Coordinates of all heavy atoms in Angstrom, one line a residue:
T41 N -22.4 2.9 -2.2 CA -22.8 3.7 -3.4 C -21.9 3.3 -4.5 O -20.7 3.3 -4.4 CB -22.7 5.3 -3.2 OG1 -23.5 5.5 -2.1 CG2 -23.1 6.0 -4.3
I42 N -22.4 2.9 -5.8 CA -21.6 2.5 -6.8 C -22.0 3.2 -8.2 O -23.2 3.4 -8.5 CB -21.9 0.9 -7.1 CG1 -21.5 0.1 -5.8 CG2 -21.0 0.4 -8.3 CD1 -21.8 -1.4 -5.9
H43 N -21.1 3.6 -8.9 CA -21.3 4.3 -10.1 C -22.0 3.1 -11.2 O -21.3 2.1 -11.1 CB -20.2 5.0 -10.7 CG -20.4 5.8 -11.8 ND1 -20.6 5.3 -13.2 CD2 -20.6 7.2 -12.0 CE1 -20.9 6.3 -14.0 NE2 -20.9 7.4 -13.3
I44 N -22.8 3.6 -12.0 CA -23.4 2.5 -12.8 C -22.4 1.8 -13.7 O -22.5 0.6 -14.1 CB -24.6 3.1 -13.6 CG1 -25.4 1.9 -14.3 CG2 -24.0 4.2 -14.6 CD1 -26.7 2.3 -14.8
N45 N -21.2 2.6 -14.1 CA -20.3 2.0 -14.9 C -19.5 0.9 -14.3 O -18.7 0.1 -14.9 CB -19.3 3.0 -15.5 CG -20.1 4.0 -16.5 OD1 -21.1 3.6 -17.1 ND2 -19.5 5.2 -16.7
S46 N -19.5 1.0 -12.8 CA -18.7 -0.1 -12.1 C -19.5 -1.1 -11.6 O -19.0 -2.0 -11.0 CB -18.1 0.7 -11.0 OG -17.1 1.7 -11.3
Y47 N -20.9 -1.2 -11.8 CA -21.8 -2.2 -11.3 C -21.8 -3.3 -12.2 O -22.1 -3.2 -13.3 CB -23.2 -1.5 -11.0 CG -24.1 -2.5 -10.4 CD1 -23.9 -2.9 -9.1 CD2 -25.1 -2.9 -11.2 CE1 -24.7 -3.7 -8.4 CE2 -26.0 -3.9 -10.6 CZ -25.9 -4.3 -9.2 OH -26.7 -5.2 -8.7
H48 N -21.5 -4.5 -11.6 CA -21.5 -5.7 -12.4 C -22.5 -6.7 -12.0 O -22.4 -7.9 -12.3 CB -20.2 -6.3 -12.3 CG -19.2 -5.4 -12.9 ND1 -19.0 -4.9 -14.1 CD2 -18.1 -4.7 -12.1 CE1 -17.9 -4.2 -14.2 NE2 -17.4 -4.0 -13.0
G49 N -23.6 -6.2 -11.2 CA -24.6 -7.1 -10.8 C -25.8 -7.2 -11.9 O -25.6 -7.2 -13.0
K50 N -27.0 -7.2 -11.3 CA -28.1 -7.2 -12.3 C -28.2 -6.1 -13.2 O -27.5 -5.0 -13.0 CB -29.4 -7.2 -11.4 CG -29.7 -8.3 -10.6 CD -31.0 -8.2 -9.8 CE -31.1 -9.3 -8.8 NZ -32.3 -9.1 -8.0
R51 N -28.8 -6.3 -14.4 CA -28.9 -5.3 -15.4 C -29.6 -4.0 -15.0 O -30.7 -4.1 -14.6 CB -29.4 -5.8 -16.6 CG -29.4 -4.9 -17.8 CD -29.8 -5.6 -19.0 NE -29.5 -5.0 -20.2 CZ -29.3 -5.3 -21.4 NH1 -29.3 -6.7 -21.5 NH2 -29.0 -4.7 -22.3
I52 N -29.0 -2.9 -14.8 CA -29.5 -1.7 -14.3 C -29.4 -0.6 -15.5 O -28.2 -0.4 -15.9 CB -28.9 -1.2 -13.0 CG1 -29.1 -2.1 -11.9 CG2 -29.5 0.2 -12.6 CD1 -30.4 -2.4 -11.3
S53 N -30.4 0.0 -15.8 CA -30.3 1.0 -16.9 C -30.8 2.4 -16.5 O -30.7 3.4 -17.2 CB -31.1 0.5 -18.1 OG -32.4 0.3 -17.9
I54 N -31.6 2.5 -15.3 CA -32.1 3.7 -14.8 C -31.4 4.1 -13.5 O -31.2 3.2 -12.6 CB -33.6 3.6 -14.5 CG1 -34.2 3.3 -15.9 CG2 -34.2 4.8 -14.0 CD1 -35.7 3.0 -15.8
T55 N -31.0 5.2 -13.3 CA -30.4 5.6 -12.1 C -31.1 6.9 -11.5 O -31.8 7.6 -12.2 CB -28.9 6.2 -12.2 OG1 -28.8 7.2 -13.0 CG2 -28.0 4.9 -12.7
P56 N -31.3 7.0 -10.3 CA -30.6 6.1 -9.2 C -31.5 4.9 -9.2 O -32.7 4.9 -9.3 CB -30.7 6.9 -7.8 CG -31.8 7.8 -8.1 CD -31.9 8.2 -9.6
A57 N -30.8 3.7 -8.7 CA -31.5 2.5 -8.4 C -31.0 2.1 -7.0 O -29.8 2.1 -6.7 CB -31.0 1.4 -9.4
L58 N -32.0 1.7 -6.2 CA -31.7 1.2 -4.9 C -32.0 -0.2 -4.7 O -33.1 -0.7 -5.1 CB -32.5 2.1 -3.8 CG -32.4 1.7 -2.4 CD1 -30.8 2.0 -2.0 CD2 -33.3 2.4 -1.5
L59 N -31.0 -0.9 -4.3 CA -31.0 -2.4 -4.0 C -31.0 -2.6 -2.5 O -30.2 -2.0 -1.8 CB -30.0 -3.1 -4.7 CG -29.6 -2.8 -6.2 CD1 -28.4 -3.6 -6.7 CD2 -30.8 -3.3 -7.0
I60 N -31.9 -3.4 -2.0 CA -31.8 -3.9 -0.7 C -31.5 -5.4 -0.7 O -32.2 -6.1 -1.2 CB -33.1 -3.6 0.0 CG1 -33.5 -2.1 0.1 CG2 -33.1 -4.2 1.4 CD1 -34.7 -1.8 0.7

Side-chain angles (χ1 to χ4, degrees):
T41 302
I42 302 174
H43 191 278
I44 193 165
N45 293 340
S46 301
Y47 182 67
H48 301 293
K50 295 179 181 178
R51 189 173 189 151
I52 301 288
S53 58
I54 299 171
T55 59
L58 179 61
L59 308 174
I60 297 179

